[in-house]
Amino acid sequence: MKKRNFLLLFTFLMTLFLVACGNEPQDSSTIADKKDITIGFNPGPYEDIFRLGVEPILTEKGYTITYKNFTDGVVNNAAVASGEIDANIFQHSIYLESINEQQGFSLKPAVLVPTPPMGLYSNVYTNLDEVPDGVEVAMPADPVNMARGLNLLSELGWIKVKEDVNPIHVSDSDIVDNPKNVKITPMDSAMGTRALEDVALVAIQGNFAIAGGLTLTDALLLETMTAPHTNIVAVKEGNLEAQYVKDIIEAYHAEAFQQVFLEQEIYAGYTLPDYFK
């Protein structure tokens, strides 16, 4: 009798377990025919570019796109990590690496996208020869984008940064020589264009410059952008082989996307991925 009751109880519990498992929501990476996808963006041109050239290609494949906007990069990445959204487009791979390290996410770059470079902007000076010693330069406070700002000043010979410094942890304390006596003022990246009202020279990421009404040709100097600083489509690591990710990659690689992008004068000066013909 005890053995029979035990077997009945075991069977009952296993049934509950299997039912519960069957009712769990499926992860998007396991849905082969996923056609409704949500993409996250921060301020900048990436949503407009996606709507203009990528969405029409995906729509032809039967996809429905939902757009979600964020003002904070960590929150945007957290939304991908939790499955709230399927991908985001706003960051370069070094920034993504730093967020993964800080937050314990497992996000991966899927494809590079056309990216406006960081530049030095000013409402006071019209060329770099006018800039005096002791100038204040505002730049992003987050380490990976401060590293880009410091690189701009290094190109000019205004400062020298410690060799082999880790861009994920860089700060103005890594400046080892400052012959122009530059004063570095850290700021929130999104405040770049507003900072022009108070600071003579500001290093502004391209997406925030454009979102703030500037053009790349307004910059006194644009960075020479390398692949790690070219922006990406970011997805959960487990979704890299999902069909919707493959189709997004294919859309960016498509000649139709490249043609419509290159026809837009407002995108002149962007750094283009190697797949552009």
Side-chain angles (χ1 to χ4, degrees):
M1 179 65 72
K2 289 182 179 180
K3 184 176 180 180
R4 181 173 179 274
N5 289 340
F6 173 80
L7 290 174
L8 288 172
L9 178 61
F10 178 80
T11 302
F12 175 75
L13 292 174
M14 285 300 297
T15 301
L16 289 177
F17 175 78
L18 292 172
V19 169
C21 289
N23 288 334
E24 287 181 356
Q26 289 181 286
D27 188 274
S28 61
S29 63
T30 68
I31 304 175
D33 59 348
K34 181 179 180 65
K35 290 296 184 179
D36 296 323
I37 56 177
T38 302
I39 313 293
F41 297 88
N42 277 28
Y46 303 107
E47 180 180 343
D48 291 339
I49 292 170
F50 193 94
R51 287 181 183 273
L52 177 70
V54 178
E55 181 179 2
I57 296 172
L58 294 177
T59 299
E60 288 184 0
K61 293 177 178 290
Y63 287 94
T64 299
I65 312 298
T66 300
Y67 295 84
K68 188 156 187 176
N69 292 291
F70 299 83
T71 57
D72 181 271
V74 176
V75 176
N76 197 336
N77 280 322
V80 177
S82 69
E84 177 186 347
I85 63 177
D86 300 294
N88 66 34
I89 307 168
F90 76 93
Q91 66 195 318
H92 50 71
S93 57
I94 297 179
Y95 180 80
L96 177 63
E97 181 183 341
S98 73
I99 296 300
N100 279 339
E101 179 182 295
Q102 294 168 20
Q103 304 295 325
F105 298 153
S106 296
L107 308 185
K108 293 291 183 180
V111 63
L112 296 171
V113 303
T115 308
M118 176 181 279
L120 286 176
Y121 294 84
S122 178
N123 286 344
V124 177
Y125 308 113
T126 57
N127 65 73
L128 292 169
D129 293 334
E130 300 174 357
V131 179
D133 290 354
V135 66
E136 179 183 8
V137 182
M139 62 179 60
D142 65 279
V144 292
N145 287 309
M146 176 175 282
R148 298 168 69 189
L150 295 178
N151 285 339
L152 280 171
L153 302 187
S154 296
E155 286 182 27
L156 294 170
W158 292 3
I159 64 169
K160 184 177 180 180
V161 178
K162 189 186 304 179
E163 292 185 7
D164 300 323
V165 64
N166 187 338
I168 294 178
H169 304 294
V170 74
S171 73
D172 55 352
S173 64
D174 292 307
I175 297 173
V176 294
D177 192 19
N178 190 355
K180 200 173 179 67
N181 196 29
V182 176
K183 178 185 177 183
I184 305 297
T185 300
M187 64 172 185
D188 182 88
S189 295
M191 299 298 293
T193 54
R194 295 184 184 180
L196 287 169
E197 300 173 6
D198 304 306
V199 183
L201 203 59
V202 185
I204 308 176
Q205 293 159 247
N207 59 312
F208 288 115
I210 292 170
L214 300 173
T215 65
L216 298 181
T217 55
D218 292 326
L220 303 182
L221 177 68
L222 290 173
E223 71 179 323
T224 302
M225 184 176 284
T226 57
H229 290 127
T230 302
N231 280 14
I232 56 171
V233 176
V235 300
K236 290 174 68 174
E237 184 174 12
N239 287 357
L240 277 173
E241 296 302 317
Q243 188 59 48
Y244 78 87
V245 176
K246 293 178 180 179
D247 287 336
I248 289 174
I249 295 170
E250 184 177 304
Y252 274 103
H253 282 251
E255 185 175 346
F257 165 72
Q258 295 175 31
Q259 182 176 346
V260 73
F261 178 87
L262 293 173
E263 287 173 351
Q264 312 304 312
E265 292 183 7
I266 58 172
Y267 299 140
Y270 277 55
T271 296
L272 302 179
D274 289 342
Y275 57 76
F276 264 71
K277 299 177 181 179

